[in-house]
Amino acid sequence: MTNRRLKTTLLFLLAGSAFTPLRAQQIPLNKYGLAVLQDKKQYEQLVRKDSAQQLVDLEKYIPGIRKDVRYATTNNFTHQRLYSSTAIYLRRPAADKLKQVQALLNKKGYGLLIYDAYRPYRCTELMFKIVPNDLYAADPKKGSGHNRGVAVDLSMVDLKTGKPVAMPTDFDDFTQKAHENYQPADPKVAANRKLLRDTMKQLGFKGSRTEWWHYYLPDYKKYPLMDIVF
Ligand SMILES: [Zn+2]
């Protein structure tokens, strides 16, 4: 190999190694111009670079966590089964915080009940197709914190009975009664909602003004929208 050819080869190799990771980071834009991560290999690459991006199985990670994944049944506002699996995943920082919420609630005789966590983007599209109203379903043009793996829908169970505690409404009730500023007549209901809210906020989650069950991490933009089924 001549010196010149060697130089060219080296330059080519250097350029290749410099550009490969950049290219891999680029998430393709969907029809709304949103970057939605769809490739599992690309997701794994992202996790290798930043462990906070990892989606964690909450049932393995949080002792005693309970779930009632309504979107895997027909008992939800769309009356259709949207998920084939009841697995509940969140990004590592959200899972870490939720683990601490669970420990705090357990000391007071309560435990977490998860209705929904990470939601593949295609389910957001499907929900909006069935109910095209962004009061009830996230608009796929924006995506949802659930698609980013840092939003969670939850309630509490009483550890003595194992039953869900009384809350202002059922999950996905889109009336005024689900709003943050609604004043429940029953002081027990108000106290349950307050305990959940205070504990979630203590760990840095933000609540929703219209859904007492919905919480998310304020730095959600760090985590790309994803359409990968786990
Ligand atoms: Zn939600």
Side-chain angles (χ1 to χ4, degrees):
M1 199 181 274
T2 62
N3 252 352
R4 204 170 149 198
R5 273 188 68 189
L6 182 65
K7 240 188 203 167
T8 315
T9 310
L10 277 174
L11 273 174
F12 181 78
L13 285 173
L14 278 171
S17 63
F19 285 114
T20 305
L22 267 183
R23 204 166 41 219
Q25 270 173 35
Q26 279 162 10
I27 299 169
L29 302 183
N30 73 359
K31 61 183 170 187
Y32 306 116
L34 281 183
V36 180
L37 184 55
Q38 292 175 313
D39 177 8
K40 201 153 188 185
K41 282 213 174 84
Q42 205 173 13
Y43 159 72
E44 284 161 2
Q45 214 162 23
L46 198 66
V47 171
R48 274 198 296 276
K49 280 186 68 188
D50 176 8
S51 62
Q53 296 287 344
Q54 188 176 15
L55 281 153
V56 174
D57 182 343
L58 298 182
E59 286 177 283
K60 288 189 185 146
Y61 200 62
I62 303 180
I65 197 162
R66 293 169 199 234
K67 63 178 183 179
D68 176 11
V69 182
R70 299 280 182 93
Y71 300 134
T73 73
T74 54
N75 180 20
N76 66 65
F77 75 103
T78 68
H79 308 293
Q80 293 187 31
R81 200 169 158 244
L82 304 177
Y83 293 173
S84 54
S85 142
T86 62
I88 42 173
Y89 282 85
L90 284 179
R91 302 270 189 197
R92 186 168 292 284
D96 278 334
K97 288 172 190 296
L98 211 56
K99 193 175 191 169
Q100 294 178 65
V101 170
Q102 172 80 330
L104 289 170
L105 290 178
N106 284 172
K107 280 187 202 156
K108 296 182 175 174
Y110 298 95
L112 287 169
L113 173 67
I114 307 298
Y115 293 121
D116 195 29
Y118 164 67
R119 178 187 307 158
Y121 181 80
R122 73 190 67 176
C123 296
T124 290
E125 287 188 297
L126 187 56
M127 279 178 188
F128 201 73
K129 208 168 158 190
I130 300 166
V131 184
N133 183 336
D134 67 2
L135 286 178
Y136 309 115
D139 188 336
K141 284 184 185 133
K142 294 178 194 155
S144 149
H146 288 285
N147 306 144
R148 298 177 187 273
V150 290
V152 61
D153 298 330
L154 42 61
S155 186
M156 302 187 302
V157 292
D158 184 326
L159 292 182
K160 270 184 252 138
T161 62
K163 288 191 176 144
V165 301
M167 283 294 192
T169 66
D170 194 7
F171 169 57
D172 273 354
D173 176 311
F174 301 112
T175 66
Q176 283 261 316
K177 286 187 176 182
H179 290 194
E180 188 181 31
N181 60 7
Y182 171 72
Q183 299 296 325
D186 183 345
K188 190 66 206 157
V189 171
N192 290 338
R193 186 184 63 179
K194 185 177 187 312
L195 176 61
L196 180 63
R197 188 186 285 167
D198 289 351
T199 316
M200 290 297 282
K201 288 190 174 174
Q202 190 182 329
L203 269 301
F205 283 98
K206 285 192 100 172
S208 152
R209 281 187 301 110
T210 53
E211 301 177 345
W212 62 259
W213 55 83
H214 179 91
Y215 289 88
Y216 62 98
L217 290 187
D219 61 351
Y220 58 89
K221 287 200 172 149
K222 276 193 210 163
Y223 307 93
L225 300 162
M226 287 194 10
D227 191 26
I228 297 170
V229 177
F230 285 86

